[in-house]
């Protein structure tokens, strides 16, 4: 009987020991869960940061390619090109001058339409109309959307139907706008629109500003448009850019005596 009683005292745990073990186990589980939460949160935050940086770099590369391959195309959406009729009494034999053709480039602060030859994809046309538009997302900021459509020539102009192949280049809590630069006497003059011009702008700037503070987030996002003359200037024709003036005619050669 005494041995059986001693054996009963050695088996099992007391209530205090059980509660202490549960408290220790609960503390370990809570600590492990908190650590896992912090690790997953910081990992996800870092992954999103890498994704945003990579997406921004790809957007800048896409814009640089589009602007670098911009075409010096003229637009005559009203139909055939008109000519200025000769004035009454004008000397016969002179060819009437043509009006200056407008370049196919329509730029505003929140929308830009131009012709480029930066073909992307198997179904891309040789020259396309690229539309870059800024779309507001309310309190969440704005996004920059790229669309494209085939360029059908100057008689059709930039209004040849709805653009397709929507691609969101940038998206976030910032304000997006464009500015257009003209280089004159070594200085760059910026304006918020470029419409009804006979030449392409030399530079296009993409402004990204913080939605709350208005601070510029990425200074220096300026893209060079390398085309400064239409394709007709590839031939030795001095009249391909009438807006820049004409070269003076050479004096008549004398017959040696």
């Amino acid at each position: 009987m005494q041995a059986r009683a001693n054996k009963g005292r050695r088996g099992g745990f007391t209530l205090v020991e059980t509660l202490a073990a549960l408290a220790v186990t609960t503390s370990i589980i809570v600590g492990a869960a908190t650590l896992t939460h912090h690790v997953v949160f910081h990992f996800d935050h870092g992954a999103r940061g890498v994704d945003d940086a990579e997406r921004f770099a790809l957007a800048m590369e896409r814009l640089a390619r589009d602007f670098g391959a911009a075409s010096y195309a003229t637009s005559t959406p009203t139909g055939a090109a008109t000519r200025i009729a000769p004035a009454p009494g004008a000397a016969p034999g002179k060819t009437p001058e043509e009006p200056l053709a407008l370049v196919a480039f329509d730029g505003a602060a929140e929308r830009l339409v131009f012709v480029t030859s930066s073909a992307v994809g198997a179904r891309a046309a040789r020259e396309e109309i690229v539309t870059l538009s800024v779309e507001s997302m309310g309190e969440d900021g704005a996004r920059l959307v790229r669309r494209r459509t085939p360029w059908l020539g100057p008689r059709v102009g930039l209004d040849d139907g709805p653009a397709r192949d929507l691609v969101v280049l940038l998206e976030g809590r910032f304000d997006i706008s464009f500015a257009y630069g003209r280089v004159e006497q070594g200085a760059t003059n910026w304006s918020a629109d470029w419409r009804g011009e006979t030449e392409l702008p030399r530079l296009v700037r993409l402004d990204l500003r913080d939605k709350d503070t208005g601070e510029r987030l990425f200074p220096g996002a300026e893209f060079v448009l390398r085309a400064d003359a239409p394709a007709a200037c590839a031939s030795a024709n001095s009249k391909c850019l009438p807006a820049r003036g004409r070269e003076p005619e050479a004096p008549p050669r004398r017959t040696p005596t």
Side-chain angles (χ1 to χ4, degrees):
M1 295 294 291
Q2 187 177 0
R4 186 179 301 173
N6 293 335
K7 184 177 180 181
R9 292 192 189 99
R10 289 195 299 268
F13 297 95
T14 64
L15 180 60
V16 175
E17 292 173 342
T18 303
L19 293 177
L22 288 176
V24 172
T25 305
T26 304
S27 300
I28 295 175
I29 294 175
V30 171
T34 303
L35 179 62
T36 304
H37 172 74
H38 284 295
V39 170
V40 171
F41 173 78
H42 288 291
F43 178 80
D44 184 65
H45 182 73
R48 273 189 276 117
V50 172
D51 290 341
D52 292 342
E54 184 178 0
R55 185 175 182 178
F56 183 81
L58 292 175
M60 294 299 105
E61 181 181 356
R62 179 68 263 167
L63 292 175
R65 185 171 179 177
D66 285 339
F67 289 124
S71 301
Y72 200 113
T74 57
S75 178
T76 314
T78 56
T82 58
R83 292 175 177 270
I84 299 178
K94 288 188 177 182
T95 304
E97 296 183 353
E98 295 184 1
L100 302 181
L102 301 181
V103 69
F105 190 98
D106 185 16
E110 297 184 349
R111 188 173 184 270
L112 172 58
V113 187
F114 63 102
V115 181
T116 181
S117 57
S118 60
V120 179
R123 297 186 305 167
R126 182 176 181 182
E127 287 186 320
E128 298 177 327
I129 300 174
V130 171
T131 302
L132 302 174
S133 56
V134 179
E135 299 180 358
S136 176
M137 298 189 302
E139 294 297 330
D140 295 332
R143 65 178 184 175
L144 179 62
V145 179
R146 180 186 187 272
R147 297 178 177 87
R148 67 179 183 177
T149 188
W151 166 249
L152 301 180
R155 293 183 181 272
V156 179
L158 297 176
D159 302 326
D160 61 346
R164 59 178 184 269
D165 298 336
L166 183 149
V167 176
V168 178
L169 298 179
L170 295 173
E171 186 176 12
R173 281 189 55 81
F174 39 71
D175 295 326
I176 308 174
S177 62
F178 291 102
Y180 310 94
R182 185 195 306 269
V183 179
E184 295 177 340
Q185 298 179 354
T188 304
N189 299 322
W190 296 96
S191 61
D193 60 82
W194 192 278
R195 290 173 170 172
E197 299 286 344
T198 58
E199 298 180 0
L200 291 173
R202 176 52 52 195
L203 297 168
V204 175
R205 185 179 67 200
L206 177 65
D207 288 330
L208 298 177
R209 297 184 180 273
D210 187 86
K211 189 172 182 61
D212 300 323
T213 63
E215 182 181 358
R216 184 176 295 178
L217 300 177
F218 188 75
E222 300 177 359
F223 306 94
V224 180
L225 277 71
R226 305 186 182 279
D228 59 354
C233 290
S235 61
N237 183 6
S238 61
K239 299 180 181 181
C240 61
L241 288 177
R244 299 186 182 180
R246 298 178 178 178
E247 298 180 359
E249 297 181 1
R253 300 180 59 181
R254 291 186 177 182
T255 304
T257 56

